[in-house]
Amino acid sequence: MAELGLNDHHQNEVINYMRFARSKRGLRLKTVDSCFQDLKDSRLVEDTFTIDEVTDILDGLQTVVHSEVESELINTAYTNVLLLRQIFSQAEKWYLKLQTDISELENRDLLEQIAEFEQSEFTASNKKPNPELVKPKLTPLHDGASELLQKEIARLQEENEKLRSRLKRIEAQATSALDEKSKLEKVVRDLEIAQGDQKHNTTQDLSELESGMADLKYQLEKTLKDSTENQKSLEENLVSTKHDLLKVQDQLAMAEKELEKKFQQTAAYRNMKEILSKKNEQIKELRKKLTKYEPDD
């Protein structure tokens, strides 16, 4: 680190500004000197002056010098504001908020340190400006940029680690899901086998029911033809048959619920449900056919 506690780049920027300030200060001093010289050349042409004349000469000189000094102080203040504006603008590009301590501007120790630094830089060594470091505009604040980039890199690395951990968890979940899928496929195969057996049993029940209904129809037709005297008995048999039919329907409904519970959330469940629906339709058709042979009240 250099004498001002800054890195080489920033210290060279300070030196460039001090060189600019020295140049402006030199011009103003020459202007003040010229004011006195003009006074000597224009007013001090006589050997003796009265008090009023001397007072008038000094008042005129005071006015000119006061104007020059005031103009220089104002220009210096505005120049410093422009310099701060450049620095703050660069800081804002990196979303930084710089702060200044106005009280430090009157720190005598620091002011003497700056004076010594200026003396060593411009008087003793007579250093010349490095053309590579003298630029018309301030460059971006590299230290701030580097710090921000380091923070961004650290953030990205942390995020990368989180993503890796998440990927491992997802891989573990995927493996578990595949195992679960294999188990479910085995269950589905077992259910399909059970569905085939149940389908066979249901088909057999339907065949037996259809056969029984056909026999009942034959008996009913025969009874109607034989004699109307057996109407009451036939009606009783018909009622009993209806009860049996309702009982069979209840059994079929219970079987449907059992199958629905057993095959729930599987393709086999949907297929079985369709089969049961068809069975119900067939039973309804049988009932319609049976109704045609019921005697009118």
Side-chain angles (χ1 to χ4, degrees), residues 256-270:
E256 181 180 0
K257 291 181 179 179
E258 185 65 22
L259 286 174
E260 181 178 1
K261 182 178 179 182
K262 187 175 182 181
F263 301 133
Q264 192 173 7
Q265 296 180 348
T266 64
Y269 167 74
R270 292 191 295 270

Side-chain angles (χ1 to χ4, degrees), residues 77 90 94 132 144 158 167 176:
Q90 293 182 48
W94 295 100
E132 295 182 356
E158 182 180 358
L167 179 60
S176 177

